[in-house]
Amino acid sequence: MRAVLCSLCAVLAPAAPCLLRAWQLGAGVIRTLCMGLALLSVCKFTEKHECVTTENGVGTVGISNFAQEALGDVVYCSLLEVGTKLNKQDEFGALESVKAASELYSPLSGEVSEINEALAENPGLVSKFCYEDGWLIKMTLSNPSALDEIRS
Amino acid sequence: MQRAVSVVAHLGFRLQAFSPDLYRPLSFAQDVLRRTPLYDFHLVHGGKMVAFAGWSLPVQYRDSHTDSHLHTRQHCSLFDVSHMLQTKICGSDRVKLMESLVVGDIAELRPNQDKVRELQNQGRDVGLEVLDNALLALQGPTAAQVLQAGVADDLRKLPFMTSAVMEVFGVSGCRVTRCGYTGEDGVEISVPAAGAVHLATALLENPEVKLAGLAARDSLRLEAGLCLYGTDIDEHTTPVEGSLSWTLGKRRRAAMDFPGAKVIVPQLKGKVQRRRVGLMCEGAPMRAHSPILNMEGTMIGTVTSGCPSPSLKKNVAMGYVPCEYSRPGTKLMVEVRRKQQMAVVSKMPFVPTNYYTLK
């Protein structure tokens, strides 16, 4: 599933912004996926469904569409502060919906360089645009080649 | 109109423990789970089925949890609650049977059967039969209007906690009770299994109505301050501790003729160790098992249920605290995500209820 998702990322040309469509749980139907220019680079996914794209040694971390769909509408988001040093798999925050809560684990080692302030006012961005405006943190990577260890 | 047997259901003692931990996707052991008469109907309408208390039930449909919840408060939603089996109790000693039971889980069959046998052995005239009926809950401000289109009886004459037998959208032999578990006006319709899909389909034809599942059901009842049996109350809580003293009839208190009376009646007159209260806070949501602390930081109790309230956009919860901390307005702290957050004891229901009463 994830492999197909990422090959679609690479193939689709940037288009006018459009809503990500949800997975049908169990039906495996992939609806239209449109990605912004920045995400033409390959998304990598961890086993816990964090998703990271990198550019010039900076990783942008979000959660996969599968994860946001399973979580439901995100109503609360907490993230560690800028400057926090993270090791791979360290907890860097949490997302909560009405019915569920999920901790967030860093896919790579590095330092948090930016957090998505828009989520404080509008945590629902994670649900609607998990690959675009719903990004969670940006981090400077301590080991850019470690990206290869994460599957595409 | 008769006082419904399902008055017991209204008293907050609904079936079985319920927590997100009990959800598991139906990838295996499907033959072990029981199915309601609407199982296929749920699948056709995009129901996401989960295992719940031994039944396969929809946690939600195509709409998000939040949308489904808000739709119920603004229009009306249809829930399949057939897992709550309906039982016909007959015989001239049926009242004795009912009164000999703890005000509690009457949907659970084995204890009832034991009690039935016990009374029969004493020469009492009583029998019990589980009906082959589905149970549909139609809840929301427009529920009565939707239902009126399908029944001849004037629903304005069916107030909260009364019931009547009537034909509903062509299905005869339905018992309609003006009750529910969302805090909204609405009904629960006990319908013969063979007519369940037809009735659900007919109700759904009205654009006011949308299907809703277990997820919305839980957040709606929590906003209404209603207990979930197994989490907010269980066999270790008394009605007084549970802030449910109103369930005990005056005559029964005086007669002390119910199980546990020796413990419960003194609690009514005197002190009780702990009480169930409502809590509200900003920040991270309070969830079951979150510790409750006093302002000095000492743990004084635990949250039993909690969630972000879709209607209020604040976090609401229920938990138990010692009596001295139970007054609404009392400032407390709740530990969430290893941090102590300010919380305040709040009156329940958190969202005003809209029960249809004749005043």
Side-chain angles (χ1 to χ4, degrees):
Chain A
M1 234 178 350
R2 291 187 203 119
V4 177
L5 181 72
C6 267
S7 61
L8 276 174
C9 291
V11 158
L12 287 170
C18 67
L19 283 173
L20 274 169
R21 302 296 181 176
W23 295 92
Q24 295 273 24
L25 275 183
V29 172
I30 304 169
R31 303 218 213 157
T32 315
L33 276 165
C34 294
M35 299 289 183
L37 194 62
L39 294 166
L40 265 188
S41 55
V42 176
C43 301
K44 299 263 194 170
F45 294 83
T46 66
E47 275 175 6
K48 294 190 168 92
H49 295 290
E50 282 81 13
C51 164
V52 58
T53 60
T54 58
E55 206 178 329
N56 301 328
V58 175
T60 303
V61 184
I63 60 167
S64 70
N65 189 49
F66 184 86
Q68 76 75 16
E69 159 79 13
L71 198 57
D73 286 343
V74 175
V75 296
Y76 172 80
C77 173
S78 78
L79 299 167
L80 292 180
E81 289 167 351
V82 169
T84 312
K85 289 191 166 51
L86 295 169
N87 288 316
K88 186 171 165 170
Q89 287 175 23
D90 278 354
E91 193 183 314
F92 68 87
L95 295 173
E96 301 213 29
S97 65
V98 177
K99 71 176 195 277
S102 184
E103 284 71 43
L104 299 164
Y105 300 98
S106 184
L108 296 164
S109 300
E111 186 177 313
V112 179
S113 57
E114 209 181 325
I115 65 175
N116 189 348
E117 304 280 358
L119 297 181
E121 284 300 301
N122 192 359
L125 283 173
V126 178
S127 310
K128 293 192 179 66
F129 303 104
C130 62
Y131 295 122
E132 296 177 324
D133 301 334
W135 62 273
L136 300 170
I137 60 169
K138 290 191 204 282
M139 53 193 301
T140 50
L141 304 176
S142 51
N143 182 8
S145 64
L147 195 64
D148 299 330
E149 287 166 32
I150 309 176
R151 56 186 143 157
S152 294
Chain B
M1 313 296 171
Q2 305 148 322
R3 279 270 142 188
V5 165
S6 59
V7 66
V8 177
H10 168 64
L11 302 179
F13 299 92
R14 286 281 161 127
L15 185 69
Q16 312 280 347
F18 168 109
S19 81
D21 305 324
L22 285 185
Y23 290 164
R24 42 185 180 86
L26 294 181
S27 53
F28 56 89
Q30 269 165 284
D31 48 328
V32 175
L33 295 171
R34 299 181 71 171
R35 293 178 178 184
T36 73
L38 291 172
Y39 179 81
D40 292 325
F41 176 90
H42 295 313
L43 293 180
V44 162
H45 286 91
K48 293 174 182 141
M49 309 305 282
V50 295
F52 175 69
W55 291 80
S56 171
L57 287 169
V59 65
Q60 65 187 82
Y61 297 82
R62 296 189 182 106
D63 283 348
S64 74
H65 177 168
T66 306
D67 287 350
S68 187
H69 176 114
L70 294 173
H71 184 89
T72 313
R73 296 250 179 262
Q74 291 154 11
H75 302 277
C76 62
S77 293
L78 181 62
F79 303 80
D80 176 8
V81 291
S82 306
H83 60 296
M84 293 190 287
L85 302 173
Q86 301 113 75
T87 323
K88 182 170 181 169
I89 300 158
C90 51
S92 55
D93 291 317
R94 60 194 180 279
V95 173
K96 274 207 161 47
L97 169 68
M98 291 306 296
E99 296 207 335
S100 72
L101 293 166
V102 170
V103 174
D105 214 356
I106 64 165
E108 197 191 315
L109 204 55
R110 263 196 76 231
N112 283 358
Q113 287 184 325
D114 289 345
K115 261 295 174 187
V116 168
R117 215 171 295 122
E118 180 189 315
L119 285 175
Q120 284 169 341
N121 289 342
Q122 289 169 12
R124 301 284 186 199
D125 171 28
V126 73
L128 185 147
E129 176 201 344
V130 177
L131 301 174
D132 185 22
N133 278 28
L135 190 64
L136 300 181
L138 185 67
Q139 300 282 303
T142 57
Q145 162 202 322
V146 166
L147 184 63
Q148 188 65 79
V151 303
D153 295 44
D154 183 355
L155 294 173
R156 288 173 301 184
K157 299 199 181 116
L158 188 75
F160 184 56
M161 297 315 295
T162 61
S163 116
V165 176
M166 57 185 83
E167 186 180 284
V168 183
F169 286 101
V171 183
S172 58
C174 293
R175 178 171 282 282
V176 175
T177 309
R178 199 69 172 255
C179 71
Y181 221 59
T182 59
E184 295 298 326
D185 181 23
V187 292
E188 289 187 346
I189 310 169
S190 176
V191 49
V197 172
H198 171 91
L199 177 53
T201 307
L203 288 166
L204 212 51
E205 259 159 36
N206 190 318
E208 278 295 306
V209 183
K210 286 194 170 198
L211 288 168
L214 294 169
R217 203 163 148 70
D218 190 43
S219 49
L220 287 161
R221 67 95 192 163
L222 187 43
E223 283 186 344
L226 299 170
C227 295
L228 190 60
Y229 191 82
T231 51
D232 304 305
I233 47 174
D234 59 23
E235 62 267 33
H236 303 296
T237 47
T238 68
V240 185
E241 290 170 335
S243 302
L244 297 165
S245 304
W246 57 269
T247 62
L248 299 159
K250 220 169 157 187
R251 173 176 60 83
R252 308 299 305 281
R253 298 182 195 200
M256 291 187 60
D257 61 351
F258 52 91
K262 286 205 186 74
V263 172
I264 294 166
V265 174
Q267 284 187 347
L268 285 169
K269 297 171 182 158
K271 279 212 133 196
V272 73
Q273 290 273 23
R274 56 183 183 147
R275 288 193 70 93
R276 181 179 63 98
V277 298
L279 295 161
M280 288 183 72
C281 80
E282 311 262 346
M286 302 170 280
R287 304 277 186 185
H289 314 301
S290 298
I292 304 171
L293 315 164
N294 63 16
M295 294 305 290
E296 286 75 52
T298 314
M299 180 169 165
I300 54 164
T302 318
V303 172
T304 51
S305 286
C307 78
S309 158
S311 303
L312 301 172
K313 310 267 190 288
K314 287 198 157 112
N315 301 312
V316 296
M318 286 182 202
Y320 284 82
V321 296
C323 265
E324 59 263 36
Y325 295 99
S326 63
R327 206 168 305 119
T330 306
K331 289 194 168 66
L332 294 172
M333 291 195 288
V334 180
E335 195 178 288
V336 208
R337 304 199 160 278
R338 286 163 256 129
K339 283 202 202 128
Q340 292 174 355
Q341 274 181 182
M342 290 295 306
V344 66
V345 175
S346 309
K347 270 184 158 176
M348 292 185 285
F350 299 101
V351 171
T353 55
N354 293 311
Y355 303 131
Y356 177 67
T357 53
L358 298 176
K359 284 269 161 77

